[in-house]
Each structure stands twice: as C-alpha cells, then as structure tokens.
Amino acid sequence: VGNCAQVVENGVNGMIVHKEAPRLLAEGLMQILKNEEKARVYAQQLKSKVKSLYSQEVYISKLTTIYKLVINA
C-alpha cells in the first residue's frame, strides 16, 4: 500500500507479508498481538522512520534545495 516498502523494514518496525499469503499475514498479526513489547518497539521504530522521511522540516528542507537548484540553474 502506497510507500510501505520505503517505510516498513521487516522485523525492525513491522512485518512485510506477500499479498497472496493470508496465512502469513494472520500469523504475523498474532505474533504482534501476543507480544506487547514487540508491538511497542515496532510502533516506536515506525514513528521515528516516518518522521525522518516525511516531517514538515524534511519537506521544507527538500523543497528549499529544489528552489535553490532552480534559481541557480
């Protein structure tokens, strides 16, 4: 879904399961539901990754770089 592959790192901040593998999806969900610590760690890691890629500060920095490149071209 969307940019999931850019954000989710299997076993670090979530689980990646092939869309044609519903049993593996169910097993992965059960692992997370049964292990509150793993769920907490995944959530923290994912939040950190998303902030590092998509925060307002990152967006402004990238946009500023593009503007400077256009102006100096």
Side-chain angles (χ1 to χ4, degrees):
V1 178
N3 288 342
C4 285
Q6 292 177 328
V7 177
V8 177
E9 296 175 65
N10 195 38
V12 175
N13 60 14
M15 293 181 176
I16 298 175
V17 180
H18 191 275
K19 65 181 180 179
E20 301 295 326
R23 182 176 175 181
L24 291 176
L25 176 59
E27 289 173 4
L29 288 171
M30 290 306 295
Q31 285 180 26
I32 292 171
L33 290 171
K34 289 180 178 179
N35 188 335
E36 189 175 319
E37 178 63 16
K38 180 183 266 189
R40 187 186 62 74
V41 169
Y42 279 0
Q44 287 177 338
Q45 293 291 329
L46 189 58
K47 182 178 179 180
S48 176
K49 177 92 180 233
V50 169
K51 281 180 117 178
S52 74
L53 293 173
Y54 302 109
S55 71
Q56 183 176 3
E57 292 81 13
V58 170
Y59 177 76
I60 290 170
S61 175
K62 289 179 180 179
L63 193 57
T64 301
T65 300
I66 292 169
Y67 283 152
K68 287 179 181 178
L69 288 171
V70 169
I71 289 171
N72 294 326

